[in-house]
Amino acid sequence: MGTATSSMAAKFAFFPPNPPSYNIVVDEETGKLRISDVHQREDVDVLKLSTKKGNEIVAIYVKNSSASLTVLYSHGNAADLGQMYHIFSELSLHLNVNLMGYDYSGYGHSSGKPSEQDTYADIEAAYKCLEETYGVKEEDTILYGQSVGSGPALELATRLPQLRAVILHSPILSGLRVMYPVKKTFWFDIYKNIDKIPLVNCPVLVIHGTEDEVVDFSHEYLRHLRKFISAIEKMPPHLRVASGQSTDQPNQPPNTSDANKEKLRPSTDQPNQPSNTPDANKEKSRSSTDHRDKARPSTGQKEKSRLSTDSREKGRASTDRREKSRKSIDRATKARNSTDQPERARNSFDRLGDMVRSVGLCNADCLKQTASEA
């Protein structure tokens, strides 16, 4: 049943260009692979990568000698590398990044048939190539998912805790939600992005195309992309993963309580002080022949003893309150630590939204709001 449902969903979700918009040729001089019908560039590598699903996909890697970051681009539906080649080249130049794009299984000259699980295997193969062939580190990688490409991009993002950033270009909430305004996720749905976005632990930029009668939207598109990537590149390492900000906070209240305990500790010695005061010594040295005179100092001592006892009881009560406060804090800390991963990630996502907005950028508020409604 699950396989049949996934196959049916794939028919609605994937529209590879038919025929492909390009061909693969071998350069006679260098023996390297080239994409036909495009301007040949020495800084572009054309690759064939094997996936764990047994398919062979086509990928291109656009090199930028001055770049410190690398974008792994998952393109949209009804497109292939022949159509994206020029866009990839321009993005690499204008954003000052290295860029790898790939065709999903069944797209362009990649073998196999497209499916949700195949696209996950496709992006894994592309990321593995970046690591092993080009030495790209996880913390220097930005995942870019356009339209249906937001699915594999988010799936990989949930498994890369040190990822630099994610860019979602016209993303989908889920496959079913594209067609129907459903409020919950069904088991047979594909690309459940709305459930995965809270698990992403890095800055997220969401962009969506629009129309402008005066200025073409591509101008704004590049400007905002440059602004986001520039902010990500300059961001200190300790701010890139917001989940680490909350790990030290639960330890502060116990330390404050201990400090108060140290301040209050001298009060526990006060009950012994009244017996050494000058008034007490004077009462002891005074000779008394009258029984009432003897009783009076005795009464005074009882009062002092009572005050001493009250002081001791107050000190004990204060200590009890501190112990109860510490136990309450410990319980709260344990409860916080026992919260499941999606909740912690959702809080992290909220903090990341504030962080990215603080540098004048947008974030995945549309996904976050819909997620809370679901």
Side-chain angles (χ1 to χ4, degrees):
M1 180 64 179
T3 303
T5 305
S6 298
S7 300
M8 185 178 299
K11 292 181 180 179
F12 289 101
F14 303 107
F15 300 95
N18 188 21
S21 66
Y22 68 95
N23 287 310
I24 298 292
V25 297
V26 179
D27 190 292
E28 296 180 355
E29 296 181 1
T30 63
K32 294 182 178 180
L33 297 177
R34 298 291 187 187
I35 288 182
S36 63
D37 302 325
V38 297
H39 175 67
Q40 303 301 320
R41 298 176 46 168
E42 294 300 323
D43 58 352
V44 176
D45 293 341
V46 179
L47 311 161
K48 286 190 176 182
L49 310 175
S50 298
T51 76
K52 66 180 183 181
K53 300 285 285 185
N55 296 325
E56 188 175 61
I57 63 172
V58 181
I60 64 173
Y61 182 70
V62 185
K63 292 171 282 189
N64 187 317
S65 58
S66 62
S68 61
L69 300 178
T70 298
V71 171
L72 177 53
Y73 198 116
S74 301
H75 64 66
N77 219 338
D80 61 21
L81 290 182
Q83 298 165 331
M84 300 298 296
Y85 184 93
H86 178 69
I87 295 175
F88 289 166
S89 300
E90 290 298 309
L91 287 178
S92 174
L93 175 63
H94 289 286
L95 302 181
N96 194 35
V97 295
N98 301 307
L99 189 146
M100 172 170 278
Y102 64 99
D103 266 341
Y104 311 118
S105 297
Y107 277 67
H109 285 274
S110 296
S111 65
K113 294 182 179 180
S115 72
E116 179 185 15
Q117 297 303 319
D118 276 293
T119 60
Y120 295 160
D122 298 337
I123 194 172
E124 284 182 14
Y127 178 71
K128 183 179 179 181
C129 176
L130 286 178
E131 282 191 313
E132 297 180 355
T133 303
Y134 297 101
V136 177
K137 298 179 180 179
E138 179 180 332
E139 57 267 28
D140 295 329
T141 303
I142 299 174
L143 298 185
Y144 191 122
Q146 180 181 4
S147 184
V148 72
S150 60
L154 276 178
E155 172 65 19
L156 182 60
T158 61
R159 294 185 273 116
L160 298 179
Q162 302 299 322
L163 193 63
R164 192 63 164 263
V166 172
I167 298 173
L168 301 177
H169 181 169
S170 303
I172 62 175
L173 297 174
S174 72
L176 190 61
R177 285 176 172 87
V178 174
M179 299 180 289
Y180 305 103
V182 296
K183 294 296 184 181
K184 67 176 183 178
T185 302
F186 294 92
W187 65 269
F188 53 83
D189 202 354
I190 65 172
Y191 295 137
K192 304 177 182 67
N193 294 341
I194 190 173
D195 298 324
K196 295 176 183 178
I197 188 66
L199 304 178
V200 177
N201 259 348
C202 65
V204 177
L205 173 68
V206 176
I207 57 178
H208 202 287
T210 185
E211 294 183 1
D212 191 320
E213 295 180 357
V214 179
V215 180
D216 186 81
F217 79 90
S218 63
H219 294 261
E220 292 294 305
Y221 167 73
L222 285 174
R223 184 172 70 86
H224 283 286
L225 275 182
R226 277 199 303 266
K227 189 175 182 181
F228 179 76
I229 291 179
S230 177
I232 293 302
E233 193 170 14
K234 296 175 182 178
M235 188 177 295
H238 69 281
L239 291 179
R240 292 173 191 163
V241 181
S243 59
Q245 296 177 356
S246 62
T247 56
D248 296 333
Q249 294 177 355
N251 295 328
Q252 293 179 0
N255 293 337
T256 303
S257 179
D258 291 341
N260 292 335
K261 183 177 179 181
E262 291 297 328
K263 293 179 180 179
L264 292 174
R265 184 170 297 161
S267 66
T268 58
D269 299 331
Q270 291 177 359
N272 296 328
Q273 293 178 2
S275 61
N276 295 327
T277 60
D279 291 338
N281 294 334
K282 188 182 294 183
E283 290 297 332
K284 291 179 182 179
S285 62
R286 182 183 299 158
S287 59
S288 176
T289 57
D290 187 87
H291 180 70
R292 284 176 297 180
D293 292 339
K294 293 180 179 179
R296 190 174 293 112
S298 175
T299 303
Q301 292 172 359
K302 290 181 179 178
E303 289 298 327
K304 293 177 181 178
S305 177
R306 183 177 297 110
L307 292 175
S308 174
T309 303
D310 292 343
S311 177
R312 186 180 295 109
E313 290 298 327
K314 289 181 180 179
R316 183 178 298 111
S318 176
T319 301
D320 292 342
R321 285 195 297 271
R322 287 195 300 273
E323 290 298 325
K324 290 180 180 179
S325 177
R326 182 178 289 105
K327 291 179 180 179
S328 176
I329 292 170
D330 291 342
R331 286 195 296 270
T333 302
K334 291 179 180 179
R336 189 178 298 112
N337 291 337
S338 63
T339 304
D340 56 5
Q341 178 65 23
E343 190 62 31
R344 290 203 305 272
R346 184 172 290 107
N347 293 335
S348 175
F349 180 77
D350 294 338
R351 290 193 297 275
L352 282 166
D354 295 336
M355 180 177 65
V356 175
R357 278 190 293 271
S358 70
V359 294
L361 304 170
C362 58
N363 206 330
D365 291 332
C366 59
L367 295 181
K368 182 176 64 176
Q369 180 178 359
T370 312
S372 62
E373 294 175 355

